[in-house]
Each structure stands twice: as structure tokens, then as C-alpha cells.
């Protein structure tokens, strides 16, 4: 009996020291990476600011491929910061994960991002539909300050299009989110286009993804102009807006 008790304690301790893994993150990891690879080279010396990094599974997968990128993961849920650290413990190009409430202005964050105004890429996966609208507005408002002119923001998840949600599985998902929290739900791409424009970003592309999701690609525009030094990062094929 005593042996079984100690065996239980050992197994419990092992489980507590392993990072969490979300099945959805495991499923969409490769499709999202394939999109990023069309924009970015594996040896590009870029700076990436990730919002809502979750467990850090995407951080690990993407920074392992883009080995010359400086990757800065952030997350609102403090309990997930340790998961990110554990997933990325052997990756020298990943900075210490930080707690960030993206709905709050950058100037009021508890830490100062290392490369404010110099990030080449922003990344936000599966946050927009599972957070209040203030987080979406804050995402664009803060990315306008974080990204270099011409820098790209990638968002991923399910979206409404022209006021319509499809297929039925996305409708059901939207309703289930609303039942959990009335401030959650699928956002319309046209609305995101409007909010991004108000903050100096432009929706460049909408890319269809598996499981009725999409990747949206926004670009930070320079004041009063379309030309920028990072234009070469734009994808050559896709649905342009």
C-alpha cells in the first residue's frame, strides 16, 4: 500500500511538471506554419510579437522553424506562462513570456516590449472570437505601435463574412461562445478591416484554412503611403482586399 502511495505521488509530480497541450493547437500548427512559410524565410532575422500564446505550442513549433527570429510570446492567463517556458526551454531565440492584457494600451503594460516599433511580425491565434471586443480593438491599436512600417499581423480563427456565418458548425460554435460569455463570438471580417484601417493597418489577404478557419494578413502602413521597406514580405498569391 505504501509503495502505491509513493508511486501515485511520483506520477502526480511528473504530470505537474509537464506543459499542457491543447489538441486544437496541435491540429492547426502545421497549416498555420505553411502560411507563415509563404511570407517569411526560415533564416530571416525578424522580430515576432505573439499575442495570446496559450500553452506555447505554436511558439515552440514556429520558432523552431524560424530559427533566426527573435520570438516574444505574451499571454493574459498567468497560469499559462510556465507552460510556455517549459515548451520553449531549449529554444534560445524565444524571449521570456510576459503577461499582457492586449485590451490595455501598451504604455500601461507592466513591462516594456524590447522592440517596440521594430517588430516585423505580429501573431494572434484563436483569440479574437474568445475574448471581449475590447481585446480585438486593443490588438490593432497596440500593433500599430509595435510593428515596423510594412510589418505584418497574422490572425487566425473562424470569422463571419459579410454578416454571415457558415457553415452550420461555425454557427453552432458562435452560439456556444455567446452562451458562455455574451461578449464573445465570431467577428465579421469587414468589421476587422474597418478597425484595422482606423489604426493604420490594412487587410491584405484572407486565406482559407482547414476546419472552416481563416488566416487574415494585415500590414502596417506608413503615414500617408502604400510603399514600404517590407513589401517583399507580402504573399504573391491569395485573396487581396
Amino acid at each position: 500500500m505504501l509503495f502505491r502511495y509513493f508511486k501515485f505521488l511520483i506520477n502526480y509530480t511528473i504530470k505537474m511538471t509537464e506543459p499542457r497541450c491543447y489538441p486544437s493547437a496541435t491540429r492547426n500548427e502545421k497549416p498555420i506554419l505553411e502560411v507563415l512559410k509563404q511570407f517569411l524565410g526560415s533564416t530571416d532575422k525578424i522580430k515576432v510579437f505573439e499575442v495570446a500564446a496559450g500553452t506555447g505550442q505554436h511558439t515552440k513549433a514556429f520558432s523552431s522553424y524560424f530559427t533566426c527570429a527573435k520570438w516574444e510570446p505574451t499571454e493574459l492567463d498567468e497560469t499559462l506562462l510556465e507552460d510556455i517556458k517549459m515548451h520553449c526551454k531549449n529554444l534560445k531565440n524565444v524571449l521570456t513570456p510576459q503577461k499582457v492584457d492586449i485590451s490595455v494600451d501598451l504604455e500601461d503594460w507592466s513591462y516594456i516590449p524590447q522592440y517596440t516599433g521594430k517588430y516585423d511580425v505580429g501573431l494572434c491565434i484563436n483569440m479574437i472570437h474568445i475574448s471581449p471586443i475590447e481585446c480585438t480593438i486593443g490588438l490593432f491599436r497596440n500593433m500599430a505601435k509595435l510593428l515596423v512600417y510594412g510589418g505584418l499581423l497574422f490572425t487566425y480563427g473562424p470569422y463571419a463574412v459579410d454578416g454571415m456565418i457558415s457553415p452550420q458548425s461555425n454557427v453552432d460554435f458562435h452560439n456556444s461562445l455567446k452562451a458562455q460569455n455574451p461578449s464573445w463570438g465570431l467577428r465579421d471580417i469587414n468589421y476587422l478591416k474597418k478597425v484595422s484601417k482606423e489604426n493604420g493597418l490594412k487587410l491584405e489577404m484572407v486565406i482559407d484554412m482547414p476546419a472552416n478557419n481563416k488566416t487574415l494578413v494585415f500590414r502596417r502602413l506608413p503615414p500617408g503611403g502604400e510603399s514600404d521597406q517590407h513589401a517583399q514580405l507580402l504573399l504573391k498569391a491569395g485573396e487581396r482586399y
Side-chain angles (χ1 to χ4, degrees):
M1 179 67 71
L2 189 61
F3 171 76
R4 290 181 180 176
Y5 175 71
F6 280 115
K7 185 178 180 181
F8 166 78
L9 287 180
I10 292 171
N11 289 337
Y12 180 77
T13 302
I14 291 173
K15 289 180 181 178
M16 289 297 290
T17 57
E18 294 176 350
R20 284 169 282 186
C21 290
Y22 293 158
S24 60
T26 301
R27 288 193 300 269
N28 61 39
E29 171 187 302
K30 290 184 178 179
I32 297 173
L33 178 58
E34 288 304 310
V35 169
L36 296 178
K37 286 162 64 175
Q38 294 178 71
F39 288 82
L40 312 169
S42 61
T43 59
D44 287 351
K45 294 182 179 180
I46 56 176
K47 302 175 183 67
V48 181
F49 191 91
E50 183 178 4
V51 176
T55 61
Q57 289 166 257
H58 291 130
T59 310
K60 177 183 178 181
F62 303 157
S63 63
S64 295
Y65 181 83
F66 299 106
T67 55
C68 293
K70 286 289 185 183
W71 211 278
E72 192 163 352
T74 67
E75 171 58 47
L76 175 61
D77 185 349
E78 284 188 275
T79 68
L80 290 170
L81 297 180
E82 193 60 34
D83 294 88
I84 300 171
K85 290 178 183 178
M86 286 189 281
H87 273 297
C88 302
K89 62 182 178 181
N90 296 319
L91 296 170
K92 295 181 180 180
N93 60 328
V94 177
L95 303 178
T96 301
Q98 301 288 341
K99 179 182 178 181
V100 164
D101 181 348
I102 198 64
S103 69
V104 175
D105 284 342
L106 186 155
E107 292 81 3
D108 296 322
W109 291 358
S110 60
Y111 92 110
I112 301 174
Q114 286 199 28
Y115 306 107
T116 299
K118 297 180 181 179
Y119 291 94
D120 304 283
V121 174
L123 184 64
C124 182
I125 298 172
N126 280 335
M127 182 205 78
I128 289 177
H129 58 288
I130 315 180
S131 61
I133 195 64
E134 289 79 10
C135 292
T136 296
I137 296 171
L139 174 68
F140 290 108
R141 185 176 65 245
N142 286 308
M143 279 296 165
K145 302 172 185 177
L146 290 165
L147 291 174
V148 68
Y149 291 129
L152 300 177
L153 168 63
F154 297 86
T155 71
Y156 169 91
Y159 301 93
V161 180
D162 295 328
M164 301 292 292
I165 299 176
S166 64
Q168 186 60 42
S169 59
N170 274 4
V171 175
D172 295 339
F173 183 45
H174 173 76
N175 291 335
S176 70
L177 292 174
K178 286 290 187 183
Q180 293 178 65
N181 189 324
S183 68
W184 295 0
L186 276 63
R187 311 300 180 191
D188 196 286
I189 291 177
N190 284 332
Y191 172 75
L192 300 180
K193 181 180 179 181
K194 174 179 177 290
V195 175
S196 67
K197 183 178 180 180
E198 291 172 350
N199 288 280
L201 285 85
K202 179 184 178 183
L203 177 59
E204 291 283 358
M205 296 180 187
V206 176
I207 302 170
D208 289 331
M209 304 292 286
N212 305 306
N213 291 298
K214 297 180 187 296
T215 294
L216 308 187
V217 186
F218 301 87
R219 177 166 55 97
R220 187 190 177 198
L221 298 175
E226 284 285 330
S227 61
D228 60 74
Q229 60 186 344
H230 283 224
Q232 69 273 14
L233 292 176
L234 296 178
L235 193 60
K236 294 180 180 178
E239 183 180 348
R240 294 182 62 86
Y241 270 62

